[in-house]
């Protein structure tokens, strides 16, 4: 049974898609079979939308209205349109994979160069959001159903909550989040959902900071539709983290906003049968929880998106500096015990 068919009465099933996946006929076959939602893994992040060469050739001309390019994004938009798969836009405003020159006077590619003024950066932000949304909605209407408007603005290591090292924070201030959502709401087509997305949302400090610093102020202005829980989990810590993860689902769910698990994987460094068995048990507990909160109405979970289609393409091996076996499918697309455990949840629900 396909994942999307198994859970269609509960939530969309999604996956990230990379440029390498698009070159694989098998990956495209599996995409259509299992998923009703997709997210570009990297290629729709700001660095791929900004035209560095043009901006730096004439910084005065493009100072408030940076040059844009969409050749990379088109491939994902066309894939989603042609395959009839809903696309999550990821992401508009993020400190990562937004080039430093975008934040600097004269688009200088130097961390030591002066920050562009707050007014300049708000103008650049609005121009960027306006142009991305207008491009997508004009040329590919109805393809993108949700956007991660702001990604990872909160940091649990900072007692105040804000990620103060972010170039957005440093050049604009903490209200950059509010402005990003104001601009997104202004230019988004009716029905397109606006999300705040972050990782380690099961951390109690981070959960409360997201709720109080970001979600509640945005709700007051009716600017936010949902919260993305990235859900990068670790197998060895899974059982300890699951109760807090459930609390976060319920806490965020109590806002009435949509909740999505946006970048799900469970880091597993053990590729043996025993490791596979433990991974399967973790995924079963997690999907039992997903179905439970949906059935009970404690969280309006609308999509679960895996971050990678199979083990050997997962970003975790590079990030964790050890081979990871985190997905439902093995290197050769074989259905792992974890896949069968997830399907079983749907069959028994």
């Amino acid at each position: 049974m396909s994942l999307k068919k198994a859970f269609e009465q509960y939530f969309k099933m999604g996956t990230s898609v990379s440029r390498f996946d698009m070159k694989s006929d098998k990956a495209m076959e599996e995409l259509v079979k299992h998923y009703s939602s997709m997210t570009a893994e990297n290629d729709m992040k700001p660095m791929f939308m900004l035209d560095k060469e043009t901006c730096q050739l004439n910084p005065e001309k493009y100072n408030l209205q940076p040059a844009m390019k969409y050749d990379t994004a088109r491939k994902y938009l066309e894939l989603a349109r042609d395959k009839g798969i809903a696309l999550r836009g990821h992401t508009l405003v993020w400190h990562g994979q937004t080039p430093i020159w975008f934040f600097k006077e004269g688009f200088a590619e130097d961390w030591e160069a002066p920050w562009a003024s707050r007014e300049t950066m708000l103008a650049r932000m609005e121009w960027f959001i306006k142009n991305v949304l207008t491009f997508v909605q004009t040329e590919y209407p109805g393809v993108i159903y949700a956007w991660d408007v702001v990604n990872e603005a909160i940091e649990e290591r900072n007692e105040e909550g804000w990620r103060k090292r972010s170039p957005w924070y440093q050049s604009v201030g903490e209200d950059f989040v509010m402005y990003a959502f104001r601009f997104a709401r202004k230019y988004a087509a009716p029905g397109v959902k606006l999300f705040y997305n972050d990782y380690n949302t099961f951390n109690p400090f981070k959960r409360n900071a997201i709720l109080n610093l970001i979600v509640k102020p945005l709700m007051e202005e009716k600017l936010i539709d949902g919260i993305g829980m990235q859900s990068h989990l670790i197998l060895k810590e899974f059982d300890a983290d699951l109760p807090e993860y459930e609390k976060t689902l319920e806490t965020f769910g109590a806002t009435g906003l949509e909740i999505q698990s946006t970048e799900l994987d469970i880091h597993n460094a053990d590729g043996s049968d025993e490791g596979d068995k433990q991974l399967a048990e973790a995924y079963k507990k997690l999907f039992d929880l997903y179905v439970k909160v949906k059935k009970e109405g404690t969280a309006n979970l609308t999509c679960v998106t895996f971050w990678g289609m199979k083990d050997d393409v997962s970003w975790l091996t590079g990030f964790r500096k050890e081979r990871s076996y985190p997905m439902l499918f093995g290197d050769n697309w074989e259905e792992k015990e974890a896949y069968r455990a997830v399907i079983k949840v749907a069959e028994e629900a």
Side-chain angles (χ1 to χ4, degrees), residues 162-180:
W162 294 105
R163 182 183 293 274
K164 293 189 174 182
R165 297 173 297 169
S166 164
W168 280 114
Y169 186 96
Q170 294 192 44
S171 61
V172 175
E174 64 186 45
D175 60 349
F176 82 87
V177 175
M178 296 298 295
Y179 275 99

Side-chain angles (χ1 to χ4, degrees), residues 3 266 275-284 287 306 325-329 335-345:
L3 291 168
I266 302 177
D276 195 27
K277 178 182 177 182
Q278 292 177 10
L279 183 71
E281 291 171 352
Y283 270 118
K284 185 179 188 307
F287 273 81
F306 289 94
Y325 305 86
M327 312 311 301
L328 304 188
F329 299 94
E335 296 172 355
K336 295 167 57 178
E337 190 171 345
Y339 166 83
R340 293 186 287 274
V342 168
I343 291 295
K344 188 176 182 181
V345 171

